[in-house]
Amino acid sequence: MEGADRGTVVGTCVTQALHRRTRSSDARTGIDKAAVDAIMVTPEGVEGDRVLDTRHHGGHDKAVYAYSQEDADWWAEQLSEAVPPGRFGENLRIAGVDVSDAVIGQRWQVGADVQLEVSEPRVPCSTFQHHMDDRPGWVRWFTQVGRTGTYLRVLQGGRIAPGDPVVVTHTPAHGVTVRGWFTAGSPADARALLDAEVDGWQLAGSLRDAVVAALRD
């Protein structure tokens, strides 16, 4: 059940083909992902994956993108179509652990070796809209629902395969979740996140920019 501190990897995914980012653009994207037997993750990302828009994707703060099976099942009902692992461009499909509702900075142990840290929400864009067959209003709908999934930092790399256990090993006391910040981040949330920057821990760069802006507005 969602909300537990232990779950399971359902799918591991990497780019299967490059496509245009949008109908009118010649720029390419690696959002089209499909399940593979296992992935190797490093602080720089997922081996064998393709990240072409490095301004908005990839890097240490967005090394891995995870989505929950529970959220995917919800979307499958809304869309009346299957949402298999990789459909939303994720590298990890996870069941049993909160993903969209994970607390920012939460840490997960995956399998025997891998340690991941929740860093920031996924922000939908025109590339995602095009990937979803240019479904009208898709970005607005995805945004309003708030089932964003989360980007992850890789604190310790290694191999991840379907069936690996996912265990929440640390949850920060500030309580600000990925979905909570994305849908209704307040000045109080922003202050709580900034106050949590202690002992060398720092917010993801783009998230920190948004937090500082929220306090300035």
Side-chain angles (χ1 to χ4, degrees):
M1 75 183 225
E2 192 129 44
D5 61 1
R6 182 179 294 269
T8 307
V9 175
V10 174
T12 50
C13 310
V14 296
T15 300
Q16 64 174 340
L18 300 181
H19 300 287
R20 289 185 174 187
R21 290 186 195 169
T22 65
R23 190 181 301 275
S24 60
S25 172
D26 288 331
R28 300 287 164 168
T29 174
I31 194 174
D32 183 12
K33 302 189 193 302
V36 293
D37 290 341
I39 56 175
M40 290 292 296
V41 301
T42 75
E44 287 72 43
V46 179
E47 293 184 3
D49 202 23
R50 299 291 301 277
V51 178
L52 305 183
D53 179 8
T54 55
R55 179 182 176 187
H56 298 104
H57 304 284
H60 285 74
D61 292 335
K62 301 178 181 179
V64 178
Y65 175 49
Y67 207 76
S68 79
Q69 186 61 49
E70 291 81 2
D71 283 346
D73 290 343
W74 185 89
W75 278 114
E77 291 186 6
Q78 303 303 308
L79 299 171
S80 298
E81 64 182 56
V83 182
R87 178 63 174 125
F88 285 177
E90 75 270 26
N91 302 113
L92 286 180
R93 176 70 64 83
I94 295 172
V97 169
D98 280 337
V99 176
S100 296
D101 287 315
V103 173
I104 294 168
Q106 188 176 79
R107 294 182 178 180
W108 303 344
Q109 174 85 26
V110 183
D113 301 315
V114 177
Q115 296 179 32
L116 305 176
E117 182 181 270
V118 173
S119 57
E120 60 183 298
R122 185 256 194 87
V123 178
C125 61
S126 58
T127 299
F128 191 23
Q129 171 106 8
H130 184 56
H131 178 62
M132 294 301 293
D133 305 317
D134 284 317
R135 186 180 302 273
W138 173 252
V139 168
R140 182 175 64 255
W141 190 14
F142 191 84
T143 298
Q144 290 172 341
V145 167
R147 297 173 184 260
T148 67
T150 189
Y151 283 114
L152 300 159
R153 289 169 170 161
V154 178
L155 304 181
Q156 180 172 303
R159 182 179 185 271
I160 301 176
D164 281 350
V166 181
V167 180
V168 177
T169 59
H170 169 70
T171 300
H174 61 72
V176 181
T177 66
V178 171
R179 189 203 305 249
W181 175 257
F182 181 76
T183 59
S186 66
D189 289 339
R191 175 49 59 193
L193 287 170
L194 283 182
D195 287 347
E197 287 192 314
V198 295
D199 299 327
W201 183 80
Q202 290 187 324
L203 295 168
S206 56
L207 177 59
R208 194 176 200 281
D209 290 343
V211 163
V212 170
L215 288 173
R216 187 170 55 241
D217 291 344

